[in-house]
């Protein structure tokens, strides 16, 4: 595979054909923040926190570094004032959905984001798609997917499949940047399991109305 040189933050970086800007930067020890990116998954470009300034063929553009291919002679800036402002607003928008997400709190500190800038809509999901894509691309189970469209779009476990596959897997849970996925799964399980069955599984006598939770 052919190699070429580009410049990232003033540093000459050797990249291979097919690499994205994020991958090229990583080989040179340059960190570009990401939330929806995962080395095992196809590039997705959902969260845009990896936005960088890239100049190639005389054009300067803002691009999502996790999907944009590195090119020979390209000049990339990953830490400008303009980028810091863009990332700050992106973090603030995501914090409307998941105000206490650990990864967002870290980014908020880094970019001076105000977690209360936008009205709260705590879905606890930033639609990074990591869980959906991991289950689909790596596990090939399709136990979780998107429902609805536009602003109502959300993630949902598919109860029939998740009931069979997830209990012994749980591999996507730690990928969730808001740490909310496990809770969503527990809720799906609870809604899919009749109260009497849940009580039996928990070894409860079933004489109260706790559904097994008091055991
Ligand atoms: S825990 Fe369930 S949804 Fe997550 S990767 Fe495993 S099978 Fe897929």
């Amino acid at each position: 595979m052919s190699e070429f040189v580009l410049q990232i933050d003033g540093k000459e970086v050797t990249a291979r054909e097919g690499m994205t800007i994020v991958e090229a930067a990583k080989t040179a020890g340059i960190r570009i923040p990401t939330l929806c990116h995962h080395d095992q998954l196809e590039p997705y470009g959902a969260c845009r926190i990896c936005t960088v300034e890239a100049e190639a063929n005389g054009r300067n553009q803002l691009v999502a570094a996790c999907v944009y291919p590195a090119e020979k002679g390209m000049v990339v800036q990953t830490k400008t004032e303009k980028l810091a402002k863009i990332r700050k607003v992106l973090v603030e928008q995501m914090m409307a959905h998941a105000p206490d997400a650990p990864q967002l709190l870290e980014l908020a500190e880094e970019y001076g984001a105000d977690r209360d800038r936008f009205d709260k809509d705590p879905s606890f999901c930033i639609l990074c798609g990591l869980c959906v894509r991991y289950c689909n691309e790596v596990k090939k189970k399709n136990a979780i997917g998107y429902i609805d469209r536009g602003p109502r779009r959300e993630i949902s476990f598919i109860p029939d499949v998740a009931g069979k596959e997830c209990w012994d897997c749980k591999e996507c849970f730690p990928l969730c940047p808001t740490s909310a996925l496990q809770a969503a799964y527990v809720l799906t399980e609870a809604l899919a399991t009749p109260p009497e069955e849940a009580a039996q599984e928990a070894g409860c006598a079933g004489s109260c109305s706790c559904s097994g939770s008091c055991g």
Side-chain angles (χ1 to χ4, degrees):
M1 210 174 275
S2 65
E3 292 191 338
F4 57 88
V5 174
L6 71 158
Q7 197 187 93
I8 306 180
D9 292 345
K11 194 171 173 180
E12 302 266 290
V13 176
T14 302
R16 286 188 310 280
E17 191 99 18
M19 274 185 164
T20 63
I21 295 174
V22 157
E23 288 165 340
K26 198 171 169 190
T27 64
I30 298 168
R31 170 189 166 265
I32 297 175
T34 59
L35 285 167
C36 70
H37 176 74
H38 188 286
D39 288 341
Q40 279 178 273
L41 304 177
E42 289 295 318
Y44 194 54
C47 75
R48 302 272 148 177
I49 201 77
C50 66
T51 299
V52 296
E53 293 186 55
E55 190 188 320
N57 304 320
R59 283 181 64 214
N60 196 18
Q61 347 172 38
L62 292 170
V63 299
C66 73
V67 288
Y68 204 89
E71 291 170 17
K72 183 178 176 185
M74 181 181 255
V75 179
V76 178
Q77 301 292 341
T78 74
K79 296 179 184 65
T80 64
E81 211 172 300
K82 186 175 182 177
L83 293 173
K85 280 187 194 155
I86 290 171
R87 290 180 190 151
K88 172 179 177 289
V89 176
L90 288 170
V91 173
E92 288 170 341
Q93 287 171 340
M94 287 186 272
M95 286 186 117
H97 299 288
D100 300 313
Q103 286 191 48
L104 292 182
L105 287 168
E106 274 174 33
L107 287 167
E109 185 159 341
E110 186 173 349
Y111 295 106
D114 174 1
R115 75 196 276 283
D116 298 318
R117 176 163 174 201
F118 294 105
D119 289 344
K120 295 280 173 295
D121 173 18
S123 59
F124 306 106
C125 178
I126 57 168
L127 297 177
C128 67
L130 280 171
C131 53
V132 175
R133 292 180 291 131
Y134 186 86
C135 191
N136 178 359
E137 294 176 32
V138 178
K139 300 299 294 185
K140 317 248 181 261
K141 298 294 184 190
N142 295 313
I144 188 165
Y146 293 106
I147 53 170
D148 238 323
R149 285 165 181 268
R152 297 159 69 97
R153 197 175 198 216
E154 58 182 68
I155 296 293
S156 179
F157 284 95
I158 318 297
D160 291 355
V161 189
K164 286 194 219 105
E165 305 291 346
C166 300
W167 188 255
D168 292 325
C169 170
K170 300 180 183 166
E171 287 177 30
C172 64
F173 293 2
L175 304 185
C176 178
T178 72
S179 306
L181 196 59
Q182 182 154 4
Y185 175 66
V186 170
L187 184 63
T188 305
E189 275 282 88
L191 292 175
T193 312
E196 311 78 49
E197 217 175 282
Q200 276 174 7
E201 278 172 17
C204 173
S207 54
C208 61
S209 58
C210 74
S211 300
S213 57
C214 69

